[in-house]
Every structure is written in C-alpha cells, then in structure tokens.
C-alpha cells in the first residue's frame, strides 16, 4: 500500500447522503446534485438546459408536442446524471407551465418511462416558499427581505425573515409568456414595453399594498433572467464589485433595447442566445415590479428553486417536517378538536399497518397523507358541522399548505371529502402520482378510522381483530360488544354497503 492509498485510513468518515433536485421550469430545466454531510449541503454537479416549455402553451392551455419533446429530450440527458440514485434521494418539481397545461399528464406519463422518479407539480405558493428557502440558506439579512424570482411563466414574491417566509405569492407573468405576448415579432418598441409594463402592474395590484406595508430591508432577485438583467445593468461600470440594480439603471437598459430595435440586434457579450430571445419580457416585468413595490435597489442571488428543494430535503432528513407546522397551523386556525383528531389518527394508522402489505400501499406518501387527512378531516366543522366533509375538503383544496405539493394537497382534500356519507366513484379525481385503486383504499381506512371514533371518547373502542385480504377488510369485535352498541352496529352495516363504490368489501363480526 502506497502512502497515497493509506493517507485517509485514520480519517473518521461521517454519514453522507447524496441527493438531487430537478426543476422543470417554464424556460429552463435545472438539475442540482449535492451531498449532505453533518447538516451541510455541498453542491457537486449542475446541469442546465433551455427548453422554453412555456412557448408551447397555446391560448387554450394545451402544451404542444414539440415543446413536450424538447422537455423529454432534456430528461433523457438528466437520466444519465441520476443513474443509481435511490428513489427517496431525488425530487423532481414542475412549475407554471405544467400547472397550466391541461394535457400535462401526457408529459408526466412520458417522463415516467425516462426517469424512475415522480414528477411533482407544485403550486405557485409552494414554488415561492422553496425559492425563499434556497435564498435564505445562502444569503444573510438583518431583518426582513423581499425575494423576487422571474421565471418563464410566473413570477414569485416572498417576504421573509431568517429562514421563515412570512408571505408568499405567485403571479402569472414570466419572461417567456410576456415576450411571446408583447414582443411576438421580436421588435423592441417603446409602445410594446409600455403595454407589457402596464399589464405587469395590473397583476401586481393584487399584492402591492400588503407587500409595501409589511416592508423589507433588502430586496434579492433570483433566476437566470434577473441575473442577466443584473449583469447588463453593470456593463461598463468601473467597479469590480456588484452594483445593485435600480429603476434608473433598468430604464436606461430599456432605452438601449429600444435603440437596438429588435431582439436579434441585442449584441451584448454577456447575453447568451437562449436568454436574448426572452429577455425583453423579463425586463418589462422587472421594471413594473420596481414601480409597483417601490423598490430602491435589488441585489442578485444565484440560489433559487432547486437549491430550496435540496435544503428542504436536508430539513426532512434532520429537522421537523414543515408539513407538521402546516397541519398545526391549520388545526389552530380552524379550532380542530385535536383530541378527536388524534383518536382518528391512531385508529387509521393502525388499520394502515395491517393493510399496507395486502393492499400494496407501497408509495412513500400514503402513510403520511392518511395521517395528515386524519388530523385535518374536521377543519371544515367551523363552517358548519352539517356536510363537514365537503367544507373540510374545500379548505384543504384551496388553502396555502407549505410543504405539500399540488397532488398531495388534492389527495388530502379527496380523502377528507369522502371520509363519511355516500361515495360516488365518478367524483374521484385522477392523479398523476397515485393509482386510483390505492386512493380508494386510503379513503376506506380513513372512513373506518372516523366511524369507529364517532363517540369521540378515549378508551371507547375494545381490542378489535383486523384481517385483510387483497379485496377487503374484516373487523372482529369481542363477543356481545356490538350488541350493546346498536347504533354503531347499524352504522357499520351501512358502511359495508358504501364500500362497494370503493370496490372493496367490509366484513363485521
């Protein structure tokens, strides 16, 4: 053994987790590979490719075959970088374009044949939260900071302090969509910029009052569009240090663009071809953001959504799940009976443990989603106890839920919507990540968990023998126990009839 081969023999090794995050954006796809050592994230590898997915979205929100193929081509490249990664160590998130596309499921299904990892379409608010996480872990600010991220199809705005986002919003305006809408022929006219800026200011009317009132001490811009604009505003500056962007510098840049007259004539050394064709829409949006939010200066941060996803994965490995904080917040906000919720949780998870193998409930989301549904199934009782399942489902489908993807949130709402009363199979939605048969089984488990605790009494239930086969569930109660509970016994008989709509059988003994 040489001195080189033995040099690390006495070095203590730490637990290392290798993770990867893929951001399927409206303009670009970004892959980040990192390792997590002692709670620290170390970026190992990056892959970036302009795809301009949003260009393929028509007025009816149908994504073109050409745009899909551009995206799938990039996924084939990514697949090589992800070879050998464990399923739980890769997270793929999709943003605005796949949120909007009515035929997004075609792309997602095709992606399954390329990558053995699920594609999660995240909400705009969740996107904003993850962007803030990426920035907060790489930028220090004494006080509140405003983070702005201009993407291909949407722009995210977050005010936060430290690692905590205080307010998150996503507006439907992006560099690809605005360039396509206001500069379709590539001509850079004053009138076109005015129209684009006005349209962006109209979108910003919905948030500007609240954001200006909350305030910030520092404004940080992320994304490739802002990086390019930041660089262009600093051209010819006799200073080696980054100079913050101002509204004046943006207006000067806009005059240069208008002077060039056409996108093809934007000949800047630091402006790549891929960025040049969408930069006009991004510039108009950023000018409007400065005006509407009365921003003095903006600095640039390279951290964004994919870094936020990486840090989220690190948090889930080493810290409390943010979904727990979300559930706690909702329970407090809607005055949930936490004692009852805990009874339903314990019963539902006990049933899950018996059924998991026989019912092939293998997806890593299933147990946690059933648990969150059990804890939050009565959030709607504050609206009205009559039809609580509908009210609860509406809240869970529409409230901001940090930490949950769109599909996870829809799954929660679906489980809660059908946790009692009659089930209409035709009303069940289709999911990209979850098989309908598995969703029906989770509904069944939550229904029994809620029904068995209908008395809302701790210690009410006896020891119940639970048997599961691939098509159903059998509950055996102690001798004569149900005879003394005629109402519950009748409820269980009726429940067994409801289960037919779930393609399952419920046997009571």
């Amino acid at each position: 053994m040489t001195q080189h081969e033995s040099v690390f023999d006495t070095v203590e090794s730490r637990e290392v987790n290798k993770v990867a995050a893929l951001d399927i954006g409206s303009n670009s796809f970004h892959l980040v590979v990192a390792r997590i050592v002692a709670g620290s994230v170390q970026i190992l590898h990056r892959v970036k490719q302009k795809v301009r997915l949003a260009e393929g979205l028509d007025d009816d929100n149908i994504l073109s075959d050409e745009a899909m193929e551009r995206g799938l081509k990039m996924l084939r490249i990514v697949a090589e970088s992800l070879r050998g990664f464990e399923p739980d160590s890769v997270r793929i998130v999709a943003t605005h374009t796949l949120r909007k596309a009515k035929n997004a499921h075609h792309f997602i299904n095709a992606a399954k044949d390329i990558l053995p990892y699920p594609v999660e379409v995240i909400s705009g608010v969740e996107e904003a939260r993850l962007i803030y996480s990426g920035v907060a872990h790489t930028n220090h600010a004494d006080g509140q900071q405003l983070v702005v991220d201009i993407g291909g199809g949407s722009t995210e705005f977050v005010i936060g302090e430290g690692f905590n986002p205080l307010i998150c919003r996503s507006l439907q305006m992006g560099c690809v969509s605005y360039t396509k809408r206001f500069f379709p022929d590539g001509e850079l006219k004053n009138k076109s910029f005015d129209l684009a800026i006005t349209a962006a200011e109209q979108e910003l009317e919905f948030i500007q009052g609240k954001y200006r009132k909350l305030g910030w001490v520092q404004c940080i811009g992320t994304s490739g569009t802002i990086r390019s604009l930041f660089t262009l505003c600093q051209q010819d500056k006799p200073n080696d240090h980054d100079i913050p962007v101002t509204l004046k510098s943006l207006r000067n840049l806009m005059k240069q663009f208008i002077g060039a007259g056409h996108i093809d004539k934007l000949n800047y050394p630091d402006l790549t071809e891929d960025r040049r064709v969408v930069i006009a829409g991004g510039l108009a949006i950023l000018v409007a953001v400065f005006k509407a939010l009365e921003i003095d200066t903006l600095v640039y941060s390279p951290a964004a959504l994919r870094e936020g996803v990486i840090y989220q994965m690190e948090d889930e490995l080493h810290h409390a799940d943010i979904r727990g904080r979300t559930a706690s917040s909702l329970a407090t906000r809607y005055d949930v009976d936490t004692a009852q919720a805990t009874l339903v949780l314990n019963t539902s998870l006990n049933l899950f443990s018996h059924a998991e193998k026989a019912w092939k409930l293998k997806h890593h989301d299933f147990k946690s989603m059933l648990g969150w549904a059990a804890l939050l199934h009565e959030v709607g009782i504050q609206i009205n106890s009559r039809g609580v399942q509908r009210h609860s489902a509406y809240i869970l489908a529409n409230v901001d839920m940090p930490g949950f993807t769109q599909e996870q949130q829809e799954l929660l709402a679906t489980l809660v919507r059908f946790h009692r009363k009659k089930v209409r199979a035709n009303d069940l939605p289709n999911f990209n990540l979850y098989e309908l048969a598995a969703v029906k089984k989770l509904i069944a488990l939550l229904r029994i968990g809620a029904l068995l605790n209908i008395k809302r009494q701790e210690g009410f239930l006896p020891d119940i023998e639970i048997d599961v086969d691939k098509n159903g569930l059998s509950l055996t109660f102690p001798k004569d126990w149900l005879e003394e509970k005629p109402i519950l016994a009748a409820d269980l008989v009726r429940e067994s009839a409801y289960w037919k709509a779930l393609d399952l059988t419920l046997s009571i003994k």
Side-chain angles (χ1 to χ4, degrees):
M1 181 179 292
T2 69
Q3 59 178 337
H4 301 97
E5 293 172 322
S6 61
V7 70
F8 289 147
D9 286 353
T10 59
V11 176
E12 292 184 14
S13 60
R14 297 182 179 182
E15 181 183 356
V16 175
N17 295 290
K18 195 175 179 182
V19 296
L22 175 62
D23 164 15
I24 297 181
S26 297
N27 189 39
S28 305
F29 287 14
H30 296 261
L31 173 70
V32 174
V33 177
R35 69 174 194 160
I36 300 171
V37 186
S40 174
V41 174
Q42 301 173 356
I43 304 298
L44 302 176
H45 178 54
R46 296 179 188 269
V47 177
K48 174 186 175 184
Q49 182 71 42
K50 290 290 187 296
V51 177
R52 290 199 291 277
L53 210 59
E55 277 189 358
L57 203 59
D58 66 16
D59 293 338
D60 295 320
N61 289 326
I62 299 298
L63 191 60
S64 70
D65 291 339
E66 292 81 6
M68 286 195 199
E69 183 51 40
R70 289 198 302 271
L72 296 173
K73 182 179 179 181
M74 174 56 179
L75 294 187
R76 294 184 188 102
I77 296 172
V78 167
E80 293 301 316
S81 296
L82 295 180
R83 194 180 301 277
F85 274 75
E86 294 297 323
D88 291 341
S89 63
V90 176
R91 189 174 179 194
I92 303 175
V93 296
T95 57
H96 179 267
T97 297
L98 291 186
R99 283 200 293 268
K100 295 283 288 181
K102 294 178 181 177
N103 58 338
H105 60 282
H106 292 313
F107 179 87
I108 293 171
N109 287 335
K112 290 178 183 177
D113 295 331
I114 300 171
L115 291 169
Y117 314 104
V119 175
E120 305 173 33
V121 181
I122 59 175
S123 69
V125 170
E126 177 67 359
E127 181 180 357
R129 188 189 69 78
L130 289 170
I131 289 167
Y132 182 81
S133 176
V135 172
H137 279 88
T138 52
N139 293 266
H140 174 73
D142 291 319
Q144 293 177 182
Q145 53 188 340
L146 167 66
V147 175
V148 180
D149 184 294
I150 299 177
S154 63
T155 299
E156 282 64 50
F157 302 84
V158 190
I159 294 179
E161 185 167 8
F163 295 113
N164 300 314
L166 303 176
I167 181 171
C168 303
R169 291 292 183 271
S170 178
L171 300 182
Q172 294 188 31
M173 52 186 192
C175 63
V176 176
S177 57
Y178 263 48
T179 300
K180 181 181 177 182
R181 177 179 171 188
F182 295 103
F183 309 94
D185 53 6
E187 292 188 5
L188 301 174
K189 297 180 179 179
N190 191 70
K191 183 178 180 181
S192 299
F193 273 105
D194 286 344
L195 289 172
I197 292 168
T198 298
E201 287 181 295
Q202 288 177 310
E203 292 288 335
L204 284 155
E205 283 181 335
F206 295 103
I207 71 168
Q208 63 186 44
K210 194 167 188 177
Y211 272 65
R212 290 200 304 235
K213 183 178 180 180
L214 192 55
W216 57 86
V217 296
Q218 176 177 247
C219 178
I220 298 175
T222 71
S223 77
T225 294
I226 290 183
R227 182 190 61 218
S228 294
L229 294 171
F230 189 84
T231 302
L232 293 177
C233 284
Q234 292 184 10
Q235 60 183 329
D236 302 326
K237 291 288 192 333
N239 196 320
D240 292 332
H241 302 288
D242 288 339
I243 300 171
V245 170
T246 64
L247 181 57
K248 181 179 179 180
S249 64
L250 290 173
R251 288 191 183 280
N252 287 337
L253 185 61
M254 188 167 67
K255 288 179 182 177
Q256 294 176 31
F257 279 25
I258 294 170
H262 196 279
I263 286 174
D264 291 342
K265 295 181 180 179
L266 295 178
N267 297 318
Y268 296 97
D270 295 320
L271 188 62
T272 65
E273 170 65 20
D274 289 332
R275 186 63 60 184
R276 180 174 57 78
V277 296
V278 297
I279 196 67
L283 175 56
I285 290 171
L286 193 56
V287 169
V289 170
F290 264 76
K291 291 175 63 180
L293 299 184
E294 299 178 354
I295 295 171
D296 295 322
T297 60
L298 174 146
V299 297
Y300 170 71
S301 168
L305 175 61
R306 50 268 174 201
E307 288 80 14
V309 171
I310 291 289
Y311 281 102
Q312 170 88 11
M313 294 171 78
E314 190 272 338
D315 283 342
E316 290 174 353
L317 287 168
H318 298 286
H319 304 293
D321 193 334
I322 190 172
R323 294 177 299 184
R325 295 200 296 271
T326 295
S328 177
S329 173
L330 289 174
T332 301
R333 196 186 321 174
Y334 293 100
D335 295 321
V336 167
D337 182 343
T338 55
Q340 172 64 8
T342 301
L343 290 176
V344 176
L345 169 71
N346 292 336
T347 302
S348 299
L349 292 187
N350 181 39
L351 291 164
F352 181 90
S353 67
H354 284 82
E356 182 177 9
K357 186 175 181 180
W359 284 2
K360 298 181 179 178
L361 299 174
K362 297 178 181 179
H363 197 289
H364 61 85
D365 278 349
F366 286 157
K367 184 176 181 179
S368 61
M369 289 302 108
L370 177 62
W372 298 127
L375 289 173
L376 298 172
H377 73 285
E378 288 189 336
V379 290
I381 204 167
Q382 193 181 72
I383 298 175
N384 196 323
S385 59
R386 189 185 179 104
V388 61
Q389 72 279 10
R390 295 191 304 273
H391 303 315
S392 294
Y394 178 82
I395 289 171
L396 293 178
N398 292 281
V399 73
D400 290 342
M401 297 189 68
F404 292 86
T405 67
Q406 277 190 319
E407 284 233 338
Q408 288 172 340
Q409 194 166 344
E410 186 177 13
L411 178 58
L412 279 182
T414 300
L415 298 184
V416 168
R417 169 64 182 85
F418 297 103
H419 86 268
R420 63 192 292 269
K421 300 292 185 179
K422 187 178 293 186
V423 178
R424 294 179 176 84
N426 290 336
D427 291 342
L428 293 171
N430 290 317
F431 294 90
N432 290 314
L433 301 182
Y434 314 118
E435 294 182 358
L436 182 59
V439 172
K440 289 179 178 179
K441 290 167 182 173
L442 293 176
I443 291 172
L445 296 177
L446 181 60
R447 290 178 67 90
I448 290 296
L451 179 55
L452 290 178
N453 289 285
I454 198 168
K455 290 292 186 181
R456 312 179 81 88
Q457 297 174 7
E458 188 171 355
F460 170 74
L461 288 177
D463 290 331
I464 303 171
E465 184 179 327
I466 303 169
D467 295 300
V468 186
D469 60 36
K470 65 178 182 179
N471 296 315
L473 185 74
S474 175
L475 301 179
T476 303
F477 291 81
K479 185 179 179 181
D480 300 331
W481 190 87
L482 271 182
E483 292 181 7
E484 298 172 2
K485 313 288 187 301
I487 296 177
L488 178 59
D491 286 341
L492 288 168
V493 170
R494 182 173 58 186
E495 181 65 16
S496 64
Y498 287 154
W499 273 39
K500 294 177 182 178
L502 299 173
D503 300 318
L504 294 168
T505 60
L506 174 64
S507 175
I508 307 298
K509 301 176 182 178

